[in-house]
Amino acid sequence: MSLFGRKTPSPGPANPSPSPARTIHLTKDSTGRSAINLSKVRDAGHIDLAKRADKAGIALSKRGLAGIRAQAVLVLDHSGSMHPDYANGKVQTMVERVLGFALQIDVDGTVPVIPFDSRVHPAVEVTLDNYRGVVDSQIWKPRQMGTTDLAAALVAVRELAKNTDEPIFCVVITDGDPDSQPAATKLVCELASYPVFLKFLAIRDVPYLHQLDNMGTDQRLLDNVDAKTFADPAAASDMEFADAMADEWDSWVAAATKAGVLS
């Protein structure tokens, strides 16, 4: 995880590539089974995670994505405005819900969590072994919370995308506008040429994220963004969360295949 350093790399070229930056093969298990054996997850005592993964399987099946494989990545806003959401457990709830979804799609059951504020912090790998209380124990640094340099975090995702052998399902949890909307938008457009689907989950309503969601393909190779708002993550049912996560992934897979990002 050394690529997640303390320096902020350049956002890259100003215009999105008119063609795929790279093409990778999309894998789907023909049986539609989950990436991780959920019976073993239950037997290990992770009942809630297994239930969330079951609901994720239903949501994916409804969209023709049963058995799909991807690398789940979580980009996590660590800015000062998120302090109460860390303190009240809201962020921990979101991390657990994302992990539950990831058990359905990610073959190693590991979610790299990339915290960012004024800089990108080292990634924390969240798994079945450490997810309980992981936010307080390994992620949250209450005295080091800065601004919202989303562009720098997306650069880190781009670096992952340059080397991935699987599509990246990238969840971004945030609560407000980035430091620089033009820089963040530029990176979103650039990532459209890579095998990366961006799922923005807002803790509070963020109009900018809806702008990204509704942005036309005149600025990017294809539509690579979906944005949802979860003001109270604990209030949503497992099925509601799973449906929100799976929403528009099927259309991204179709568009990415047509554009040559996936084969």
Side-chain angles (χ1 to χ4, degrees):
M1 294 298 175
S2 60
L3 69 90
F4 302 114
R6 295 176 177 266
K7 295 182 179 180
T8 301
S10 165
N15 298 312
S17 170
S19 59
R22 61 183 307 225
T23 302
I24 64 169
H25 180 66
L26 177 67
T27 299
K28 290 178 71 176
D29 186 303
S30 60
T31 68
R33 72 183 65 179
S34 60
I36 301 298
N37 187 326
L38 299 184
S39 294
K40 292 182 177 179
V41 175
R42 290 187 187 88
D43 292 344
H46 309 295
I47 307 300
D48 287 343
L49 283 182
K51 289 179 179 178
R52 290 165 180 161
D54 282 335
K55 294 301 189 293
I58 295 171
L60 292 169
S61 294
K62 290 192 294 187
R63 293 162 177 78
L65 298 174
I68 193 170
R69 299 293 179 256
Q71 169 66 62
V73 174
L74 173 54
V75 173
L76 183 56
D77 189 343
H78 189 262
S79 62
S81 62
M82 290 279 290
H83 190 285
D85 304 299
Y86 281 86
N88 65 21
K90 189 178 290 188
V91 173
Q92 176 69 33
T93 297
M94 291 291 275
V95 169
E96 291 182 13
R97 291 202 146 196
V98 171
L99 177 60
F101 187 86
L103 297 179
Q104 190 66 231
I105 65 174
D106 194 310
V107 292
D108 65 4
T110 299
V111 178
V113 177
I114 308 171
F116 74 96
D117 42 54
S118 306
R119 63 186 180 94
V120 179
H121 295 264
V124 175
E125 294 193 345
V126 175
T127 69
L128 290 173
D129 295 327
N130 71 351
Y131 75 95
R132 291 188 174 107
V134 69
V135 169
D136 284 346
S137 64
Q138 297 188 52
I139 297 173
W140 187 27
K141 305 292 188 273
R143 297 182 180 179
Q144 299 179 31
M145 305 179 83
T147 60
T148 313
D149 193 352
L150 176 61
L154 294 178
V155 169
V157 175
R158 184 188 65 191
E159 295 308 302
L160 286 178
K162 289 179 179 179
N163 300 294
T164 186
D165 293 323
E166 299 173 312
I168 294 175
F169 189 105
C170 180
V171 181
V172 182
I173 295 175
T174 186
D175 77 328
D177 290 334
D179 292 350
S180 170
Q181 290 188 14
T185 301
K186 184 187 302 182
L187 263 299
V188 168
C189 291
E190 184 177 352
L191 284 171
S193 298
Y194 288 89
V196 179
F197 177 63
L198 294 167
K199 176 70 66 171
F200 286 92
L201 302 181
I203 298 291
R204 281 168 281 282
D205 189 52
V206 183
Y208 169 67
L209 300 183
H210 299 302
Q211 294 174 24
L212 292 180
D213 196 353
N214 297 322
M215 183 168 51
T217 54
D218 56 322
Q219 300 180 61
R220 52 184 172 168
L221 180 63
L222 52 89
D223 183 352
N224 58 335
V225 172
D226 182 48
K228 298 285 188 270
T229 301
F230 283 96
D232 185 358
S237 71
D238 290 340
M239 195 68 245
E240 288 171 337
F241 187 83
D243 277 329
M245 289 285 281
D247 190 31
E248 295 195 26
W249 197 15
D250 52 344
S251 57
W252 175 81
V253 168
T257 302
K258 182 178 180 180
V261 174
L262 301 177
S263 65

